[in-house]
């Protein structure tokens, strides 16, 4: 999963909402969990992932830099 937040909207909860709303769709595709990656320095993204139930699994080195891997369970649709 990848997502990006416009700089003027960072810190306003949009990342959390985007990820939250994507999880039921991914469940409808038959996925029970998904991998989300982030840069080690991106603490805001890590907070978004953890707030949505993500669990840190490992740090992976690729192309001379590290990425953090988080596993997220998908979920049933939510009511808004």
């Amino acid at each position: 999963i990848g997502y990006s937040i416009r700089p003027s909207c960072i810190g306003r909860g949009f990342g959390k909402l985007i990820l939250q709303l994507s999880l039921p769709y991914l469940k409808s595709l038959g996925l029970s969990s998904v991998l989300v990656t982030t840069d080690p320095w991106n603490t805001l993204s890590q907070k978004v992932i953890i707030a949505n139930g993500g669990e840190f699994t490992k740090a992976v080195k690729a192309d001379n830099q590290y990425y953090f891997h988080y596993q997220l369970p998908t979920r049933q649709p939510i009511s808004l």
Side-chain angles (χ1 to χ4, degrees), residues 6-63:
R6 179 181 178 158
S8 63
C9 293
I10 291 174
R12 295 173 55 192
F14 292 114
K16 183 178 175 182
L17 183 62
I18 290 167
L19 188 54
Q20 179 184 18
L21 294 175
S22 70
L23 295 173
Y25 172 72
L26 295 165
K27 179 141 187 107
S28 76
L29 296 176
L31 301 171
S32 60
S33 67
V34 292
L35 170 68
V36 181
T37 65
T38 187
D39 294 309
W41 53 263
N42 194 341
T43 56
L44 287 176
S45 183
Q46 293 166 33
K47 289 178 183 179
V48 165
I49 295 166
I50 292 167
N52 276 284
E55 292 188 24
F56 178 80
T57 57
K58 61 184 171 181
V60 175
K61 187 174 183 181
D63 300 324

